[in-house]
Each structure stands twice: as C-alpha cells, then as structure tokens.
Amino acid sequence: MGSDYYETLEINRNAGDADIKHAYRRLALKFHPCSTNKETGSNEKFSQLGEAFDVLSDPRKKATYDKFGEEGLRGGIPLEFGSGGAWSSKYVYHGNPDKTFRQFFGGDNPFADFFANDAPLQFCGLQPGDVKTKDCHIERDLHLSLDDLFHGCTKKIKISRRVMNDDGYTSSIKDKILTIDVKPGWKEGTRVIFPKEGDQGPNSIPADIVFIVRQKSHPLFVRQHNDLLYKVLVTLEMALTGFSVDVETLDGRQICIPINDIVHPAYRKLVTGEGMPESQDPSQRGNLILTFDVQFPEKLSAESKHLIKQALALKY
C-alpha cells in the first residue's frame, strides 16, 4: 500500500491550500536532515514530506490523487471522452526533496527568516543572512540606428525596481535612470551590463541588468561587420559603357565614385575607409562596397538587335 500524503503532512482531506503550506512549513523545518535537533532530523521523513507537498500543492495532481489515489496518480488516468483514448501523464516525483524545500522557502538559506524561542535556528552551519543567492540576470534589447552606431551617442533608460527600505525588511518600487554611452562601431549583439541593478530582496543579491544592442535597418546601407554595402541600380548601357555613382555617407559627405569597368553579375566596387568605424580604434574604418543590379531591357526592336550585334562584333 502506498503512502497517504495527507497523513504524511498530518492534515485531513478537507485541508485547504493554506493548511497544506502551513503543515509543510512546520514539518519540513522539524525533519530537515540538517536540523540541529538530532531527534527529528531524518532524510527519509524529509523526502516523504517533499513528495507529499509536491502532489498536494498542485491542483491537478491533488485532484487526481483525491479521486483515483496513488495508483491513478502514478499510473495515469483516461482523459475526457473524445480524446482518442489518451491517458494523463504518469506522475514521478523528481526525488530531490531539498529542491522542493528551497523552492518553497526561497534562496540557498531558506532558514534566514525563521526564529524559534527568540533565537535563530541553525542548519548545516548556516546563520541567518550568511548565504544569499544572486538572481538570474535580466536581458533587455537596446535598439539603435546605424547612425547611432556610426557616430556614437548617449541613451538614458528609466527602469523601475524594488528597493529595500532602511528597516531591512520592507521594500518599495523606485525609478532609476541608467545611462548608456554608445561607442562608435558597436556591433549587433554588444552587451552592456549594469551589475546588481535588479530587484532587491532580504535574502538575495540583485540581478545584473544586461542590454543587448539590436541594430535597426537602414534605408541605404547594409552593414557587414565593419563594411557598408550600397546597392546601385544601373541600365545595361551604363554597365557596359561606364558611369559614376554619388553616395551620401553617414557623416554627411557626398562622394563621387567613377565606374570605368564592365559591370558583370559578380562585380563589386570597393571604396576603402568609407565604412563603419572599428570599435577598438574609431580612427580606423571598414570599407564601402558598391553592389550592382543591372536592369535589362524587356524587349528590343529588330534594328536595335542588329546594332547591338554589330557593336559586339567589333574587337574589344
């Protein structure tokens, strides 16, 4: 016969959620293996409490257990009519009562807030406040234009976070302005870290806030590392006979680039030093690379075809 989870937690079957939590809190502290009370500390009892609470604190597991018992909980039960013969998943306790315990109390030192007979409880050599866990870092996207990343800029971002009051027990929500100095040449994915600017808590170390650079698209340029790609539409005549391209750079200059070569499908024109600044040394810059989209005529007259044939028949 299996365990009676209600009996394990020393409660009746009419117990509500608050009763279940209260019972687990009392018994888990009493039977924790690291308790200084050697008469009650027990690995086996502590594990039974963890499994009982894992089931009874979950409404679905509890409902299944109440109606079908431990056998139905562990073996699965048929789902509602029309589900194609599907059964519910079988319950298996993860086997780590310490994980259940820490999730319930929070932190690596869940005993920090508990006192008995006006004296702090001691578990596994820990005193209240000895151990604090650091919250997982918080990531936020920082959307920047190509112009921002070319010139550099300053961004101010307001955050709201929970801050501990002077009494050390209560907290309140306060706003704070974080300043980000964007350096010329920063790339997509650059991370800016503000240590410990997350929510504060009595038993935790605030999380780091991490901003990740996301580059907005630009109407003229496509960035490729430190190079800038610029697409030019040209006619077949221009591709064969030559032309010049006027480009307005990100720093507001107009440059004229002559194209004297034949523009074939794989042709690219490289203009050195007109790309993005390098983040480590902004005085050094990548290249501007012109790519070409040759627009062919949709149709030609017989006379035009004859003239083109004559022209192409000439020696180059």
Side-chain angles (χ1 to χ4, degrees), residues 146-153 181-187 223 226 276-284:
L146 194 58
D147 294 272
D148 290 335
L149 297 171
F150 182 88
H151 297 283
C153 63
D181 292 320
V182 178
K183 305 300 182 185
W186 275 7
K187 295 181 175 67
R223 184 177 184 178
N226 287 328
M276 293 292 291
E278 297 182 7
S279 57
Q280 301 299 322
D281 182 5
S283 65
Q284 301 296 315

Side-chain angles (χ1 to χ4, degrees), residues 7-10 23-50 97-98 101 105 111 121 123:
E7 182 179 322
T8 298
L9 290 179
E10 300 178 6
Y24 177 74
R25 179 191 300 269
R26 176 176 62 83
L27 295 173
L29 289 171
K30 179 179 178 181
F31 289 99
H32 194 287
C34 288
S35 170
T36 53
N37 188 337
K38 301 300 182 183
E39 295 180 1
T40 60
S42 167
N43 283 304
E44 182 179 358
K45 180 64 174 179
F46 185 62
S47 181
Q48 292 172 355
L49 289 168
D98 196 50
F101 184 82
F105 288 101
F111 307 100
L121 297 172
F123 292 82

Side-chain angles (χ1 to χ4, degrees), residues 199-220:
D199 290 337
Q200 297 178 356
N203 300 314
S204 63
I205 300 172
D208 295 342
I209 297 182
V210 182
F211 290 95
I212 303 175
V213 170
R214 302 301 181 197
Q215 181 183 294
K216 299 177 184 178
S217 59
H218 191 275
L220 299 178

